Amino acid sequence: MSDNDPQLGSAADVRARIDTSKPHSARFWNYFVGGKDHYEKDRELGDHIKEIFPGLVDVARTSRLFLGRAVRHLATERGVRQFLDIGTGLPTADNTHEVAQRAAPDARIVYVDNDPLVLAHARALLTSTPEGETAYIDANLYEPEAILREAAKTLDLSQPVALIILNTLGHVADHKEARDLVGRLMSGLASGSYLVISDSTATSEGMIAASNEYNKSGAIPYHVREVEEIAAFFEGLELVEPGVTQVTRWRPETEDRTAVDAYGAVARKP
């Protein structure tokens, strides 16, 4: 794929959109999970937050592991072959397409994000097995119909799709609006589709303090929610056991069940 692929825009145009003068959530998170795609402002904020609430590093790490377990479960035990990952974030180890295609080489994955640094690295997300396919959409969560329209160029929306929205809905300040966006996305997917969500939660004073400091930084604010508000995203769907729980306790594959301020779930559309 060339540096001027029309799907991703020119490399120069993408670089021009990157603002290094203030932190950004994707880069901040990348710093916490041990990635290399971050700038001084992201590291400064990350170090400051770790002094206030070291547990946020565990949230970042375990949320990523939850993604892998959820995708493996859907691909191996539920037969899902299509994934729509919104709020993709920066490429790290075991991205959605790598996990899905390891289990099912014919899986198709569409990533959605509008952060220019994510876009600049999107080529790393567009590798695929010969049997499968991956694609990238430069769009944001507030455009659900446009996302579905573009996703339909790669995915067959008449067949089940797993919609993945991890650590992203907190950027939508109003809970009712966030629920509406999720509902509009799910309404465009077939029966038998799945919803995968996890987000940081207001379940400790440390997390609330960390969120407040992050929101003072100039980055796009992130609002931690009550567990009941996370659960509300799944209303009308059939929760996969164990339901809405801390991400470390959703079908754990190791003994690491660290208590974290992040809850998630997987649910099926009837």
Side-chain angles (χ1 to χ4, degrees):
M1 189 166 293
S2 75
D3 285 344
N4 293 303
D5 188 279
Q7 181 183 12
L8 302 180
S10 74
D13 288 344
V14 171
R15 284 195 297 268
R17 289 169 50 190
I18 298 173
D19 181 0
T20 62
S21 67
K22 56 187 177 183
H24 189 281
S25 60
R27 304 191 307 249
F28 172 82
W29 213 243
N30 182 261
Y31 178 53
F32 271 8
V33 298
K36 299 178 180 178
D37 299 305
H38 39 74
Y39 296 97
E40 182 178 356
K41 292 293 184 181
D42 308 301
R43 294 188 291 272
E44 287 177 355
L45 178 61
D47 291 340
H48 178 54
I49 294 294
K50 281 192 281 188
E51 290 178 0
I52 296 170
F53 182 56
L56 193 56
V57 177
D58 290 329
V59 168
R61 177 181 60 83
T62 59
S63 294
R64 189 74 186 178
L65 294 173
F66 165 74
L67 168 66
R69 295 197 305 277
V71 170
R72 276 192 297 276
H73 173 77
L74 292 173
T76 60
E77 298 186 39
R78 303 279 173 158
V80 176
R81 295 295 180 266
Q82 304 189 108
F83 297 83
L84 178 58
D85 186 339
I86 299 179
T88 303
L90 286 157
T92 58
D94 282 346
N95 300 293
T96 297
H97 75 283
E98 294 169 325
V99 176
Q101 292 182 343
R102 200 176 297 139
D106 59 336
R108 291 172 170 255
I109 297 88
V110 172
Y111 291 106
V112 182
D113 209 302
N114 71 330
D115 174 58
L117 190 63
V118 177
L119 180 59
H121 288 271
R123 290 164 183 82
L125 294 170
L126 292 177
T127 58
S128 176
T129 57
E131 305 95 325
E133 186 174 351
T134 65
Y136 183 96
I137 301 172
D138 182 9
N140 68 53
L141 182 62
Y142 295 94
E143 305 168 324
E145 288 75 27
I147 288 171
L148 291 170
R149 185 168 58 251
E150 288 299 309
K153 296 177 182 179
T154 302
L155 308 178
D156 179 358
L157 300 190
S158 70
Q159 297 298 314
V161 173
L163 172 63
I164 301 170
I165 314 176
L166 264 59
N167 306 302
T168 297
L169 289 166
H171 290 301
V172 183
D174 184 78
H175 182 245
K176 183 178 179 181
E177 181 179 16
R179 287 185 63 185
D180 177 67
L181 292 169
V182 172
R184 286 158 65 187
L185 286 162
M186 288 301 295
S187 71
L189 302 181
S191 174
S193 291
Y194 288 83
L195 175 64
V196 183
I197 287 175
S198 75
D199 262 304
S200 300
T201 48
T203 40
S204 76
E205 292 183 3
M207 175 56 89
I208 294 169
S211 176
N212 290 338
E213 286 299 306
Y214 178 85
N215 292 344
K216 293 176 186 176
S217 71
I220 298 172
Y222 185 96
H223 306 275
V224 292
R225 294 197 158 99
E226 301 297 332
V227 176
E228 293 78 9
E229 293 177 304
I230 303 297
F233 291 125
F234 298 96
E235 287 184 5
L237 305 178
E238 301 167 350
L239 284 166
V240 173
E241 289 293 331
V244 180
T245 185
Q246 289 179 341
V247 293
T248 50
R249 298 174 185 184
W250 195 90
R251 295 178 176 261
E253 295 171 351
T254 70
E255 294 302 312
D256 182 3
R257 304 188 186 190
T258 307
V260 293
D261 296 299
Y263 278 67
V266 177
R268 182 183 180 275
K269 179 178 178 178

